[in-house]
């Protein structure tokens, strides 16, 4: 759909107004921090974040430090969802392997010897997904949270792998590294503090 036919909702003095077509926005007082929403967006964004509005009003894209951070329970639920799907895939693969492995003892050995692969898969998948376009795994995307650097920008692949590797430090002392999220305003776990990363959530109006 061409931008000229897209309808925008804008927030003026704390109240949503519109919808307006792109051309109609020219008559409105829009500044870079004005909250704007259009079809297909899950939440409002600031006007400077939309390329067509930057072009229309001559805004420069600003880098705004994140202000909304994912809580411990959101992150935990995302973790559970991720492991549920990975375990489901593991079970399917094991059942398929039973076509070739007939002995009961061998099947049991196969299950237990292959279980650590779930953790390895989580590490690889999590690192790639969190450095990807969506900046999160399936669990994080369902909870509408994502991983960023300290400025709210997408992680490089190297930084994402480093962050996930640092989770070992959070886990070793009986998972106490995760409790660090209760001790700082940005709700960073120990591995986030080490990697200088954040887990942020959608802005609410």
């Amino acid at each position: 759909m061409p931008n000229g036919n897209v309808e925008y909702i804008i927030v003026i003095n704390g109240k949503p107004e519109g919808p307006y077509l792109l051309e109609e926005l020219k008559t409105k007082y829009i500044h870079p921090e004005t909250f704007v929403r259009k079809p297909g967006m899950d939440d409002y964004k600031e006007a400077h974040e939309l390329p067509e509005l930057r072009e229309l009003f001559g805004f420069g894209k600003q880098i705004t430090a994140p202000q909304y951070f994912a809580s411990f329970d959101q992150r935990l639920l995302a973790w559970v969802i991720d492991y549920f799907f990975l375990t489901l895939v593991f079970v399917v693969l094991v059942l398929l392997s039973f076509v070739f492995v007939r002995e009961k003892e061998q099947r049991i050995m196969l299950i237990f010897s292959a279980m650590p692969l779930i953790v390895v898969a989580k590490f690889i998948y999590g690192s790639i997904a969190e450095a990807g376009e969506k900046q999160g795994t399936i669990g994080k995307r369902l909870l509408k949270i994502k991983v960023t650097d300290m400025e709210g920008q997408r992680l490089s692949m190297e930084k994402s792998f480093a962050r996930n590797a640092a989770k070992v430090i959070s886990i070793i002392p009986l998972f106490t590294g995760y409790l660090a999220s209760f001790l700082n305003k940005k709700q960073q776990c120990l591995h986030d503090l080490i990697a200088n990363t954040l887990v942020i959530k959608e802005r609410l109006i």
Side-chain angles (χ1 to χ4, degrees), residues 43-165:
D43 197 4
Y44 286 86
K45 290 187 176 182
E46 293 182 351
H48 68 85
E49 297 181 81
L50 303 183
E52 65 270 27
L53 297 188
R54 293 201 299 271
E55 181 179 349
L56 182 67
F57 294 102
F59 297 148
K61 186 174 183 180
Q62 303 174 11
I63 297 178
T64 306
Q67 301 179 35
Y68 306 89
F69 308 102
S71 61
F72 178 80
D73 58 330
Q74 287 177 308
R75 297 175 67 163
L76 178 60
L77 182 55
W79 180 87
V80 170
I81 292 171
D82 288 336
Y83 267 102
F84 170 78
F85 282 109
L86 287 170
T87 302
L88 193 62
V89 172
F90 173 78
V91 170
V92 171
L93 292 175
V94 167
L95 291 176
L96 288 174
S97 72
F98 285 176
V99 175
F100 307 99
V101 180
R102 299 291 185 177
E103 296 294 329
K104 181 179 178 180
E105 293 78 8
Q106 291 180 337
R107 288 181 172 181
I108 294 174
M109 185 179 298
L110 174 65
I111 292 171
F112 283 99
S113 62
M115 284 181 67
L117 293 177
I118 299 176
V119 178
V120 175
K122 176 63 169 66
F123 170 73
I124 296 173
Y125 166 64
S127 299
I128 294 174
E130 289 164 6
E133 183 179 352
K134 300 295 184 180
Q135 296 175 253
T137 58
I138 291 175
K140 286 185 172 67
R141 287 161 61 182
L142 289 175
L143 273 293
K144 295 186 178 181
I145 61 179
K146 61 183 180 180
V147 183
T148 74
D149 63 15
M150 298 303 291
E151 286 74 44
Q153 303 301 303
R154 179 175 165 182
L155 300 186
S156 66
M157 192 66 71
E158 293 79 7
K159 194 174 187 71
S160 184
F161 270 98
R163 175 183 181 272
N164 279 278

